[in-house]
Amino acid sequence: MLRTLIAALLFALLPVPACAQDTTAGSAECADAMTTLDMRRCFSTANVRADSAMADTFRAARDRSGVAAALDSAQARWERFRDAQCEAEGARYEGGTLQPVAVLTCRLGLTRARVRYLENLFGRPED
């Protein structure tokens, strides 16, 4: 019962931006996390992996784009957007234990969506 409640809560916290975002990946990945501390740890680890994938994908996109300066500017602006959007989503839970979880799930979803977007435009890093 508690596990179902936590899963339902996580799905409710996931952001749904206009771009096609995989909102179930982070939840499934951290489905075994039963406390907010476990959720924070799990989503933090997932964010580290997503940030690494983003860095690899961005480097490859930058090298292939032919417009590195423009892409650098777009990426910096996108990162500011992501951080502001996720802080806004977390603000709904201001002072609660789920605030960091909301921020982390938002950040994870948007980062993964950005990786897919860059891959669609410029190809995967290993291509």
Side-chain angles (χ1 to χ4, degrees), residues 57-68 70-71 74-75 114-127:
T57 303
F58 180 75
R59 270 192 299 276
R62 190 178 190 282
D63 292 344
R64 295 174 184 165
S65 71
V67 289
L71 195 55
Q75 185 67 12
R114 179 68 173 173
V115 167
R116 285 190 306 276
Y117 178 80
L118 291 171
E119 287 174 347
N120 286 336
L121 284 179
F122 303 105
R124 299 176 64 95
E126 59 275 357
D127 290 346

Side-chain angles (χ1 to χ4, degrees), residues 63-115:
D63 292 344
R64 295 174 184 165
S65 71
V67 289
L71 195 55
D72 288 343
S73 177
Q75 185 67 12
R77 290 176 181 173
W78 178 85
E79 288 173 6
R80 286 193 302 273
F81 158 76
R82 177 199 57 196
D83 294 344
Q85 177 65 34
C86 293
E87 287 302 317
E89 289 192 26
R92 297 181 305 165
Y93 307 96
E94 185 77 33
T97 59
L98 286 177
Q99 183 177 10
V101 174
V103 172
L104 289 168
T105 56
C106 172
R107 196 173 191 287
L108 180 60
L110 290 177
T111 300
R112 287 178 173 170
R114 179 68 173 173
V115 167

Side-chain angles (χ1 to χ4, degrees), residues 2 6 14 23 35 44 47 58 74 88 91 94 96 111 120-121 124:
L2 180 61
I6 290 171
L14 292 171
T23 56
T35 67
S44 291
N47 269 286
F58 180 75
E94 185 77 33
T111 300
N120 286 336
L121 284 179
R124 299 176 64 95

Side-chain angles (χ1 to χ4, degrees), residues 22-34:
D22 181 3
T23 56
T24 59
S27 297
E29 187 173 351
C30 296
D32 292 336
M34 298 306 290

